[in-house]
């Protein structure tokens, strides 16, 4: 018998009682439900939260990871806010990266979901193909695209040059202006299929009658989209955007393997900066400070998104 | 080899040695001239090899240049035999996946000699190794043999007290070449044995240079004209890999080597940048950066230089599209793997950034792959590590390593039979300085300076790149 | 009309965009490095199995495979069990503490890995869990609980309360509700989460890199990065490794295609 079952036995009284939101049964049931969450909470708190929090306390110190940490109060915080151009550059990069990825990944996944909505053989086959990149590991994807993007020998530019489009054969991963976007493109390539599948499920739940009614009223495809599809799919959009946002903030593996954040930090986002500050420069305290900013940033961003899309999920 | 013997016996031995060595020691230009102990020689500093029995050309008491017994180690005694290891098992931490097979063989032999002993290699790639190895070995009592990179990582390990003092070890004094041990010293103590001897100088394609009738550039203006000529002939003059900073800035060594008139000054001025005392907009850095702009304008670098990956750079050189690979001797193994035809077709040449052929230094050498004993390892583990390192610095073992991995080593009595190693032995007669790149101890500062230089090659103006970099450094250290 | 043309164009373009990299990798695994770099899209001059041979002999591929399988299987099963339990509890709690719990778990999604790895490493060293497969399972479970609970709790909340209430009337206690009511109903979304977790865990590089240094304990993706040598990247070997590492995923993906597409979205959408 599991711990939770015993707990549930203990928590709930043995006689069936009146159910209802504020009834005694409900409250003691709450206790039982809470107990069911205990195992997960324990594992999570002990092996994940606790190490993270112990690391975050170094945000108030200077620490090289090997010797004693030196307490310096809020110095790290003031420094990153007032005297660190790289931090702002990377923050800007992150905003641009996330912005591009969220917009394009959401739009494209919605578009392809609409294209492949019907469950025909062809659609299902294409859906399978589009989902394929997601199952690859991010390092694999990074290596492949690093190869494709090589400016002189890589297939992309070789192809562009051969058909006379050499003005398009840019320095994809070697230019301070383009690299971030090239990496964003790879990220979108990587995960659009995954979000497309989410959208398909959401779209397939929209009742056909709504579309039929709109058609009777003479609405064009675009108008149907605006009045039926988009509003009805809002909950799905909320999920897609939230997940894409979080995913883009965590794109460490991909970026680190492709460019290490370069050239000159132009493709570095917060997670790569944190990693390099900690492990390349042996400045774990400062990295912890940056981590705190990152966590706050993500929480704020997702809260804003929820408010904007006005849905609960 | 006995050292103390009568003069007559000595002369006989030398004559015999000469006869033997003429057939097996690497063929360098000087060898035909008949070296014998006490005989006249022409080029001061030239040596016949890195054996404890080798000869070196130096001034004798009367001021004449004669062949003398080379004293490459820190002792007059012969190298010691490997120490016995107590029973147990340890881990050997390093980053060279390409050396795994050779080390497997060496370890197998070591284990045969020392029954009950087990050594396991723990390898991660160089980026991860730099980033996390020290942290991990600190809490791992089995990680007894810890290798470090010269420069920032070794320094970190030393200041954190992670390395056991080897200064009194016999093998540290008798088995290795003294001049190459500096990289493993910290505050006067020998905390590690640098194992590899590298030459961070451009590698050139012997055939192409012969075919085109080019001479190796000896001063900066030669390099400029080389680039222009090679580009006009359809080559990419230098296979420079701008997308990968560690490899791209191998040439910073060459560009730094003659920027000061004494070694002390060179170290001081680098340290000043490292600690923030001087900004990188200071004149000597500006002049050096200007040379990168000159090379860029002469067309030395590939198109889209900042995007050229390591693999692409190596391919350019291996396929003959680029006659020069501006990295170092350590790249040779990989090039041969890419294209077997390059085996035996590579040489090394110094990269003189000044127009003075008599500049202080004409080439770079580096000693890295610093073998150390983890002071946080268990007592028995440390003793096994000690024995293992003594085994690695044994001449025969090091010979197998050197020839198997196509790298030079810092150990005495090594026989270089690999043709690439022999072709590049001539670099040893250049005036070499220990790679200044690694006297930068602050990785963050060094990265910023190197990024600025990469930006210059990519087209940025010298002033702008250095100013921006200076600002970032100030913030980093502030 | 515009729509039809646009659709055909868009679909073709994206399909090409996916097929080309796949082709490069597949063909590349049969080529040598030089040929790969100079003629990436061409058919191999000679279909060479050298890379595969090197990988399967020299490396410990079979071992890596075994390790990945063991770790992934145990991690996914454990996570599924305790996260479904927790998600059900969280979904059913009326008191605000339910929302707090959910927030606590979701926060884990916001924490960047680089922040936690030092602390995790030190904790695991103290507990002697480094270089062990069970240590890897523990951290995998701990770190995938957030996303698992995020999705599953949404699903459980969707199940109409009437179904619970009628069962409760029959005297079912919370755990019984979980076992006999919620679990059977949640099969599709559990399946979806299972596949999700499988992919994440199988491909994970971060924790194996942090905790495993013994080569006989390495997982497949970890072994893959060993082909970045110090001074050269062996792309053709890397592509071969990518092929080998992806095969289980591809096989599983094709086999479970239906549940991937349908189940993946069951809970995530109606939140």
């Amino acid at each position: 018998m599991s711990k939770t079952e015993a707990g549930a036995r203990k928590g709930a009284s043995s006689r069936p009682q009146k159910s209802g939101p504020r009834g005694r049964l409900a409250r003691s049931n709450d206790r039982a439900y809470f107990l069911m969450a205990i195992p997960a909470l324990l594992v999570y708190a002990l092996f994940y939260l606790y190490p993270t929090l112990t690391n975050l306390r170094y945000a108030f110190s200077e620490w090289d990871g090997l010797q004693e940490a030196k307490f310096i109060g809020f110095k790290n915080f003031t420094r990153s806010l007032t005297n660190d151009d790289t931090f702002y550059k990377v923050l800007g990069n992150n905003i641009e990266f996330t912005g591009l990825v969220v917009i394009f990944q959401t739009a494209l996944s919605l578009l392809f979901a609409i294209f492949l909505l019907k469950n025909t053989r062809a659609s299902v086959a294409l859906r399978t193909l589009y989902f394929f990149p997601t199952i690859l590991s991010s390092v694999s994807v990074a290596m492949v695209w690093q190869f494709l993007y090589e400016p002189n020998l890589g297939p992309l530019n070789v192809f562009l040059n051969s058909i006379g489009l050499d003005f398009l054969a840019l320095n994809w991963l070697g230019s301070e202006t383009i690299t971030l976007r090239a990496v964003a493109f790879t990220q979108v390539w990587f995960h659009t299929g995954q979000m497309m599948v989410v959208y398909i499920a959401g779209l397939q739940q929209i009742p056909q009658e709504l579309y039929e009614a709109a058609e009777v009223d003479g609405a064009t495809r675009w108008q149907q989209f605006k009045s039926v599809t988009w509003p009805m799919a809002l909950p799905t959009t909320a999920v897609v955007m939230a997940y894409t946002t979080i995913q883009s903030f965590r794109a460490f593996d991909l970026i680190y393997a492709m460019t290490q954040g370069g050239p000159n930090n132009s493709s570095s986002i917060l997670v790569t900066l944190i990693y390099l500050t900690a492990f390349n420069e042996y400045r774990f305290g400062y990295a912890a400070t940056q981590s705190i900013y990152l966590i706050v940033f993500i929480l704020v961003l997702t809260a804003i998104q929820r408010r904007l899309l006005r849905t609960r999920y | 080899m006995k050292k103390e013997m009568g003069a007559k016996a000595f002369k006989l031995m030398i004559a015999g040695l000469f006869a033997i060595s003429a057939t097996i020691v690497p063929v360098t230009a000087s060898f035909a001239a008949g070296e014998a102990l006490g005989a006249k020689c022409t080029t001061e500093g030239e040596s016949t090899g890195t054996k404890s029995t080798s000869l070196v050309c130096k001034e004798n008491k009367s001021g004449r240049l004669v062949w003398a017994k080379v004293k490459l180690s820190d002792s007059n005694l012969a190298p010691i035999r490997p120490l016995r290891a107590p029973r147990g098992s340890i881990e050997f931490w390093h980053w060279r996946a390409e050396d795994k097979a050779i080390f497997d063989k060496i370890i197998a032999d070591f284990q045969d000699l020392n029954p009950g002993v087990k050594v396991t290699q723990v390898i991660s790639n160089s980026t991860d190794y730099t980033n996390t190895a020290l942290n991990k070995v600190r809490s791992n009592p089995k990680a007894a043999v810890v290798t470090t990179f010269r420069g920032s990582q070794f320094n970190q390990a030393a200041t954190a007290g992670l390395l056991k003092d080897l200064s009194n070890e016999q093998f540290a004094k008798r088995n290795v070449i003294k001049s190459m041990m500096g990289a493993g010293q910290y505050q006067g103590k020998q905390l590690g044995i640098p194992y590899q001897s590298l030459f961070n100088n451009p590698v050139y394609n012997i055939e192409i240079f012969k075919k085109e009738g080019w001479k190796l550039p000896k001063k900066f203006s030669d390099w400029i004209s080389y680039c222009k000529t090679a580009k006009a002939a359809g080559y990419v003059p230098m296979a420079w890999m701008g997308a990968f900073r560690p490899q791209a800035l191998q040439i910073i060594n060459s560009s730094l080597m003659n920027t000061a008139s004494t070694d002390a000054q060179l170290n001081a001025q680098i340290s000043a940048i490292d600690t923030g005392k001087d900004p990188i907009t200071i004149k000597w850095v500006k002049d050096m950066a200007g040379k990168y702009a000159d090379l860029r304008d002469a067309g030395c670098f590939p198109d889209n230089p900042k995007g050229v990956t390591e693999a692409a750079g190596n391919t350019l050189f291996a396929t003959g599209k680029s006659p020069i690979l501006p990295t170092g001797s350590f790249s040779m193994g990989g090039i041969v793997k890419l294209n077997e035809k390059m085996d035996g077709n590579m040489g090394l040449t110094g990269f003189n950034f000044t127009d003075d052929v008599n500049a202080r230094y004409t080439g770079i050498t580096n000693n890295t792959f610093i073998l150390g004993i983890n002071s946080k390892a268990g007592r028995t583990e440390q003793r096994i590590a000690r024995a293992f390192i003594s085994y690695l610095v044994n001449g025969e073992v090091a010979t197998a390593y050197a020839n198997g991995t196509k790298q030079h080593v810092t150990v005495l009595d090594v026989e270089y039979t690999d043709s690439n190693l022999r072709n590049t032995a001539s670099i040893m007669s250049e005036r070499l300085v220990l790679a200044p790149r690694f006297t930068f101890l602050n990785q963050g500062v060094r990265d910023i300076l190197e990024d600025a230089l990469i930006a210059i090659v990519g087209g940025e103006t010298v002033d702008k790149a250095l100013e921006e970099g200076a600002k970032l450094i100030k913030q980093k250290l502030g | 009309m515009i729509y039809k043309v646009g659709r055909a164009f868009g679909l073709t373009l994206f399909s090409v965009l996916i097929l080309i990299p796949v082709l490069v990798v597949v063909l590349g695994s049969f080529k040598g490095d030089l040929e790969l770099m100079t003629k990436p899209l061409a058919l191999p001059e000679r279909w060479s199995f050298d890379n595969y041979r090197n990988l399967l002999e020299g490396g410990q591929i079979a071992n890596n495979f075994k390790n990945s399988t063991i770790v992934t299987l145990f991690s996914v099963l454990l996570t599924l069990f305790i996260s479904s339990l927790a998600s059900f509890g969280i979904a059913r709690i009326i008191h605000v503490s339910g929302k707090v719990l959910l927030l606590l778990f979701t926060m884990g999604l916001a924490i960047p890995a680089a922040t936690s790895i030092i602390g995790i490493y030190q904790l695991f060293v103290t507990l002697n869990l480094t270089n062990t497969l069970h240590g890897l399972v523990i951290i995998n479970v701990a770190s995938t609980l957030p996303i698992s609970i995020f999705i599953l709790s949404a699903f459980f909340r969707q199940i109409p309360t009437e179904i619970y209430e009628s069962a409760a009337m029959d005297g079912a206690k919370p755990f019984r509700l979980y076992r006999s009511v919620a679990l059977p109903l949640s099969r599709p979304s559990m399946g979806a989460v299972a596949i999700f977790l499988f992919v994440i865990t199988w491909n994970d590089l971060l924790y194996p890199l942090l905790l495993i240094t013994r080569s006989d304990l390495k997982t497949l993706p970890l072994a893959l990065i060993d082909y970045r040598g110090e001074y050269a990247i062996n792309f053709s070997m890397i592509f071969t490794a990518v092929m080998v590492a992806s095969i289980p995923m591809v096989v599983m993906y094709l086999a479970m295609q239906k549940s991937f597409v349908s189940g993946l979205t069951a809970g995530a959408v109606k939140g």
Side-chain angles (χ1 to χ4, degrees):
Chain A
M1 149 161 11
S2 78
K3 221 182 351 173
T4 47
E5 225 176 323
R9 292 270 149 96
K10 236 189 344 166
S13 52
S14 40
R15 305 168 262 108
Q17 290 191 333
K18 228 179 14 185
S19 58
R22 293 282 177 251
R24 221 165 16 130
L25 176 65
R27 263 178 287 143
S28 58
N29 274 345
D30 261 11
R31 216 176 307 155
Y33 289 131
F34 194 87
L35 282 167
M36 292 170 94
I38 293 284
L41 195 57
L42 280 179
V43 173
Y44 175 64
L46 175 61
F47 293 103
Y48 198 73
L49 274 191
Y50 166 65
T52 308
L53 292 174
T54 51
N55 194 51
L56 286 180
R57 73 181 155 95
Y58 287 116
F60 298 98
S61 316
E62 212 172 83
W63 187 42
D64 72 344
L66 295 173
Q67 303 169 76
E68 282 301 307
K70 205 175 70 161
F71 182 74
I72 55 170
F74 280 94
K75 268 232 233 126
N76 282 331
F77 289 90
T78 49
R79 196 150 150 209
S80 48
L81 290 176
T82 60
N83 197 23
D84 194 347
D85 283 356
T86 309
F87 179 68
Y88 281 107
K89 180 174 183 176
V90 168
L91 189 62
N93 287 346
N94 213 153
I95 294 175
E96 183 179 348
F97 181 75
T98 300
L100 285 174
V101 170
V102 168
I103 292 175
F104 282 98
Q105 199 167 305
T106 310
L108 285 176
S109 52
L110 177 56
L111 189 66
F112 289 126
I114 293 176
F115 284 167
L116 301 177
L117 200 51
K118 306 274 191 309
N119 289 329
T120 63
R121 295 264 290 268
S123 288
V124 171
L126 279 181
R127 281 186 218 159
T128 313
L129 180 66
Y130 291 4
F131 191 78
F132 180 71
T134 313
I135 69 176
L136 297 173
S137 76
S138 37
V139 175
S140 308
V141 173
M143 308 249 74
V144 173
W145 276 94
Q146 191 189 53
F147 176 72
L148 294 174
Y149 275 140
E150 216 283 331
N152 303 321
L153 297 180
L156 177 59
N157 279 5
V158 166
F159 171 69
L160 288 173
N161 280 322
S162 67
I163 59 172
L165 286 176
D166 21 340
F167 62 92
L168 275 183
L170 306 169
N171 197 354
W172 303 105
L173 295 182
S175 149
E176 293 194 35
T177 42
I178 299 176
T179 306
L180 187 67
R181 289 144 203 197
V183 176
F185 181 82
T186 305
Q187 173 81 353
V188 171
W189 177 90
F190 194 9
H191 291 297
T192 294
Q194 189 185 30
M195 294 299 119
M196 173 194 74
V197 163
V198 175
Y199 258 129
I200 287 178
L203 293 180
Q204 280 180 345
Q205 287 176 274
I206 301 178
Q208 265 302 102
E209 301 86 59
L210 290 177
Y211 287 111
E212 279 155 22
E215 241 181 272
V216 163
D217 285 347
T220 62
R221 244 187 228 272
W222 171 246
Q223 285 165 334
Q224 285 180 34
F225 173 77
K226 251 179 42 179
S227 54
V228 179
T229 315
W230 178 257
M232 292 297 290
L234 222 45
T236 317
T237 304
V239 167
V240 168
M241 284 186 114
Y243 195 65
T244 305
T245 305
I246 292 178
Q247 204 178 46
S248 72
F249 271 100
R250 306 181 92 192
F252 172 74
D253 286 344
L254 186 75
I255 296 184
Y256 190 66
M258 275 181 97
T259 61
Q260 295 91 53
N264 207 7
N265 285 322
S266 57
S267 65
S268 185
I269 60 174
L270 285 169
V271 273
T272 41
L273 181 66
I274 292 170
Y275 182 85
L276 288 171
T277 307
F279 294 99
N280 200 34
E281 298 178 31
Y282 296 104
R283 288 163 72 203
F284 291 90
Y286 200 50
T289 315
Q290 294 165 338
S291 305
I292 292 182
Y293 285 127
L294 176 64
I295 295 174
V296 167
F297 200 67
I298 295 181
L299 291 177
V300 166
L301 209 62
T302 39
I304 293 179
Q305 270 182 0
R306 284 178 68 167
R307 193 63 59 85
L308 276 181
L309 292 172
R310 229 161 300 187
T311 47
R312 283 183 63 236
Y313 60 85
Chain B
M1 277 292 168
K2 286 279 176 262
K3 285 321 184 251
E4 330 298 325
M5 42 167 84
K8 210 153 77 155
F10 216 101
K11 285 214 181 82
L12 273 172
M13 184 194 82
I14 295 308
L17 262 184
F18 173 61
I20 300 170
S21 52
T23 49
I24 54 176
V25 174
V27 181
T28 53
S30 58
F31 230 69
E35 295 77 359
L37 193 68
K40 213 174 70 143
C41 57
T42 46
T43 327
E44 185 171 7
E46 203 171 344
S47 85
T48 60
T50 54
K51 296 175 119 21
S52 48
T53 51
S54 296
L55 304 173
V56 68
C57 182
K58 55 198 308 191
E59 270 188 23
N60 67 0
K61 290 196 199 69
S62 0
R64 280 170 49 230
L65 282 179
V66 294
W67 288 110
K69 209 61 204 324
V70 70
K71 181 173 174 261
L72 296 173
S73 71
D74 195 13
S75 161
N76 284 315
L77 303 171
I80 67 166
R81 305 237 42 126
L83 304 167
R84 285 303 306 277
R87 300 176 87 89
S89 70
I90 60 167
E91 290 173 2
F92 170 25
W93 282 57
H94 67 93
W95 61 85
R96 289 192 57 93
E98 45 263 79
D99 293 353
K100 180 171 186 295
I102 289 279
F103 275 131
D104 276 335
K105 286 205 200 84
I106 293 177
I107 288 174
D109 292 338
F110 179 71
Q111 288 174 169
D112 285 340
L113 281 176
N114 294 285
V117 173
K118 190 163 181 317
V119 178
T120 324
Q121 293 186 63
V122 174
I123 310 176
S124 48
N125 70 65
S126 54
T127 326
D128 288 317
Y129 194 87
T130 319
N131 293 344
T132 56
L134 291 184
N135 226 299
K136 291 184 182 177
V137 301
R138 187 161 144 250
S139 28
N140 183 343
K142 283 241 171 288
V145 181
V146 170
T147 321
T148 44
F149 282 94
R150 177 173 164 238
S152 173
Q153 193 181 42
F154 173 73
N155 206 53
Q156 272 285 325
T159 41
L162 278 180
L163 301 171
K164 188 152 178 288
D165 189 1
L166 303 173
S167 311
N168 292 323
E169 293 290 350
Q170 290 299 305
F171 59 77
K173 292 198 260 214
R174 292 158 65 165
N175 290 41
V176 288
I177 300 175
K178 180 170 179 216
S179 61
M180 298 181 175
M181 290 295 111
Q185 286 168 1
Y186 180 74
Q187 293 181 347
K189 292 189 275 196
Q190 193 75 43
L191 295 181
I193 307 280
Y195 199 49
Q196 292 175 357
S197 181
L198 320 170
F199 301 97
N200 315 60
N201 301 289
V203 187
Y204 71 92
N205 186 320
I206 297 178
E207 262 179 51
I208 294 184
F209 268 75
K210 200 151 90 175
K211 183 177 107 177
E212 301 284 346
W214 293 332
K215 293 183 71 177
L216 290 173
K218 287 282 169 238
K219 51 190 208 281
F220 197 64
S221 47
D222 288 345
W223 280 99
I224 299 284
S225 40
Y226 156 74
C227 287
K228 294 198 175 125
T229 317
K231 188 143 189 206
Y235 296 102
V236 176
M238 292 194 205
W240 190 75
M241 16 185 94
F244 192 51
R245 195 203 293 125
Q247 285 289 60
L249 268 306
Q250 292 287 0
I251 55 178
I252 200 177
N253 288 303
S254 301
S255 66
L256 283 170
M257 67 186 174
N258 285 315
T259 53
S261 42
T262 64
D263 285 349
Q265 196 200 334
L266 182 61
N267 287 334
Q269 71 189 25
I270 289 180
S271 182
I273 303 285
D274 205 32
T275 51
K277 210 159 85 56
D278 289 335
I280 58 175
T281 42
I282 194 175
K283 182 167 188 306
W284 74 265
V285 177
K286 205 157 156 206
D287 289 341
M288 182 179 80
K291 304 263 171 67
Y292 285 80
D294 294 339
L295 291 170
R296 167 196 74 200
D297 296 334
C300 293
F301 303 107
D303 289 335
N304 299 311
K306 292 196 295 187
V308 178
T309 58
E310 242 190 311
N314 285 332
T315 304
L316 282 176
F317 182 68
T319 50
K321 213 152 183 293
S322 254
I324 290 215
L325 182 66
T327 54
S329 58
F330 40 81
S331 294
M332 295 193 302
I335 298 291
V336 171
K337 278 213 198 93
L338 265 186
N339 183 0
E340 298 166 341
K341 297 209 204 86
M342 288 298 281
D343 198 7
N345 187 26
M346 296 180 280
L348 287 174
T349 180
F351 196 161
N352 188 353
F353 269 69
T354 70
D355 263 334
D356 178 12
V357 279
N358 295 317
R360 253 175 7 113
Y361 292 114
T362 50
I364 303 287
T365 180
N366 194 27
N367 304 115
T368 182
F369 206 79
I370 305 175
L371 301 167
I373 301 181
N374 182 4
S375 59
K376 304 270 190 276
R379 297 265 312 274
T380 317
E381 283 80 6
Q382 288 188 32
R383 287 174 55 209
I384 302 175
R386 188 169 161 260
F388 185 61
I389 295 181
S390 78
Y391 186 71
L392 287 176
V393 297
N394 171 274
E396 280 167 27
V397 176
T399 300
Y401 176 77
N403 291 305
T405 60
K406 300 198 195 327
Q407 292 177 104
H408 298 91
V409 291
T410 58
V411 180
L412 283 173
D413 293 343
V414 166
E415 206 74 77
Y416 293 113
T417 52
D418 179 273
S419 56
N420 299 295
L421 293 177
R422 288 158 63 150
N423 284 347
T424 51
S426 58
I427 196 83
M428 297 198 221
S429 58
E430 300 270 359
R431 299 187 287 281
L432 302 176
V433 67
L434 205 57
R437 188 183 192 191
F438 303 103
T439 43
F440 280 96
L441 295 176
N442 188 325
Q443 187 74 31
V445 171
R446 192 185 109 191
D447 284 348
I448 294 177
L449 172 60
E450 295 186 350
D451 277 341
L453 294 173
I454 293 181
I456 292 174
V457 172
E460 189 63 86
T461 60
V462 172
D463 286 327
K464 186 144 175 284
L466 291 180
E467 269 159 28
E468 280 180 16
K471 192 154 147 240
L472 290 176
I473 290 181
K474 199 147 172 288
Q475 293 178 346
K476 182 142 297 216
L477 295 173
Chain C
M1 186 53 208
I2 304 177
Y3 176 73
K4 281 220 161 62
V5 169
R7 177 175 180 270
F9 179 68
L11 290 178
T12 319
L13 189 60
F14 201 59
S15 304
V16 167
L17 218 53
I18 298 198
L19 284 173
I20 297 231
V22 169
L23 213 64
V24 169
V25 170
V26 172
L27 293 179
S29 65
F30 293 103
K31 298 179 184 165
D33 255 351
L34 209 56
E35 201 193 335
L36 171 64
M37 291 294 291
T38 50
K39 290 188 288 225
L41 288 172
L43 288 173
E45 261 163 34
R46 192 177 62 94
W47 290 79
S48 152
F49 280 88
D50 284 344
N51 288 338
Y52 285 96
R53 217 174 304 131
N54 282 335
L55 193 68
L56 297 167
E57 282 173 8
Q60 301 208 26
I61 281 290
N63 218 6
N64 299 138
F65 207 92
K66 183 185 77 156
N67 294 334
S68 278
T69 313
I70 294 177
V71 168
T72 309
L73 230 58
F74 277 100
S75 305
V76 172
L77 288 175
L78 237 86
T79 306
L80 272 183
F81 178 55
I82 60 177
S83 67
S84 64
L85 205 55
S87 305
F88 179 71
I90 289 175
R92 296 284 302 157
I93 293 181
I94 301 164
H95 189 242
V96 73
S97 57
K99 287 228 184 70
V100 169
L101 270 183
L102 186 58
L103 181 64
L104 202 62
F105 280 108
T106 335
M107 223 176 59
L109 289 175
I111 299 175
T115 312
S116 37
I117 56 183
I118 284 281
I120 290 175
Y121 183 71
Q122 293 183 328
L123 177 67
F124 275 60
V125 165
T126 319
L127 296 176
N128 255 328
L129 288 173
T130 51
N131 270 322
T132 59
L133 291 185
H134 50 271
L136 205 47
V137 170
I138 292 177
I139 189 61
N140 280 334
V141 171
S143 58
T144 49
L145 280 174
I147 183 65
S148 198
I149 293 180
F150 187 67
I151 297 179
L152 286 178
S153 59
F155 178 79
F156 282 124
R157 229 181 293 127
Q158 263 176 250
I159 300 179
T161 37
E162 297 85 54
I163 299 188
Y164 289 127
E165 246 138 65
S166 60
M169 290 291 210
D170 296 341
K173 320 292 202 324
F175 188 72
R176 195 66 193 298
L177 283 178
Y178 164 73
R179 199 166 41 149
S180 333
V181 177
L183 267 191
L185 277 180
S186 68
R187 212 155 281 161
S189 69
M190 292 275 275
V193 171
I195 291 168
F196 223 58
L197 291 176
F198 199 97
V199 175
I200 293 176
T201 311
W202 182 274
N203 283 333
D204 181 39
L205 191 57
L206 182 74
Y207 294 118
L209 186 58
L210 184 70
L211 300 172
I212 307 281
T213 46
R214 278 175 45 183
S215 54
D216 57 327
L217 287 178
K218 285 190 180 173
T219 58
L220 215 45
L222 190 55
L224 189 161
I225 63 172
D226 278 347
Y227 292 103
R228 298 189 79 139
E230 186 187 5
Y231 295 119
I233 303 183
N234 200 339
F235 268 116
S236 64
M237 277 301 264
I238 287 183
F239 288 164
T240 312
V242 169
M243 290 280 285
V244 172
S246 307
I247 285 177
M249 288 286 95
V250 173
V251 165
M252 201 200 60
Y253 169 61
L254 289 176
M256 315 245 277
Q257 223 260 87
K258 226 168 65 151
S259 31
F260 245 135
V261 173
S262 68
L264 183 67
T265 62
V269 175
K270 304 178 206 175

